[in-house]
Amino acid sequence: MPWEVDLSKVRDYLILMLISGSIVALDQWTKWFVRNNLALGETWSPFPWLAPYARIVHWNNTGAAFGLFPDGGTVFMIVAVIVTAAIIYYFPQIPSEKIAYRLALGMQLAGALGNLIDRVLQGPVTDFVSIGRFAVFNVADSSISIGTAILIIAMWADERKQTKIQESSTGQAVQERISSSEQTE
């Protein structure tokens, strides 16, 4: 029937929307708060002694995360659209038991969308978290970075698991060959 709905895909997309939607909402709210409470370039820290280490600063970023490639705004809009489409397509194909993969992709989608919203509506992306001498960033940038780290760790863990399984099955095969050759002698 042409109107049948695959409920597992609906569930998958609801999970993706919950993960990414929550992060996008937090990202957009924090950026709105900073834009409405600090002048561009203005810095705030709750304690003067903390200011050299961590502070909030209203900053505009026309490039990628952490201020990289400052003149690449249009390119990053295109990349965000491609990444968004790829994640939306690929997400339901990930088995539901691969929670780390799903979380990672949800976080990466949220980061891409959060900064894309800024680029479309504001022009530059609003950054505001400043720690030490590290580049100023925002919730979306953090979401992309943490999502990428989770994805790398999950892939590494899966690869290690597969290697152990292969080594175990190879060891069993060798053991069986030794046993069968001993029995034929």
Side-chain angles (χ1 to χ4, degrees), residues 16-17 19-28 31 61 63-66 76-77 79-81 83-84 87 102-119 125-127 137-148:
L16 181 61
M17 286 175 44
I19 294 168
S20 60
S22 301
I23 297 169
V24 168
L26 177 63
D27 175 66
Q28 290 300 301
K31 290 172 179 176
N61 180 359
F66 312 114
F76 295 117
M77 284 177 65
V79 169
V81 170
V83 165
T84 297
I87 290 172
R102 289 174 160 238
L103 176 62
L105 289 181
M107 293 179 77
Q108 291 170 341
L109 177 63
L113 288 175
N115 285 339
L116 180 62
I117 290 168
D118 271 25
R119 290 184 199 290
V125 172
T126 300
D127 287 341
F137 59 97
N138 59 41
V139 173
D141 297 337
S142 298
S143 185
I144 292 168
S145 298
I146 294 168
T148 300

Side-chain angles (χ1 to χ4, degrees), residues 15 57 73 89-91 165-166:
I15 290 168
V57 59
Y89 171 78
Y90 187 66
F91 191 84
I165 289 170
Q166 287 174 347

Side-chain angles (χ1 to χ4, degrees), residues 3 8 20 28 32 42 64 67 82 84 92-93 106 117 149 155 159 162 171 180 182 184:
W3 294 99
S8 67
S20 60
Q28 290 300 301
W32 171 86
E42 185 179 357
I82 292 169
T84 297
Q93 297 177 37
I117 290 168
M155 291 171 73
E159 189 171 318
Q162 281 300 115
S180 68
E182 287 174 351
T184 58

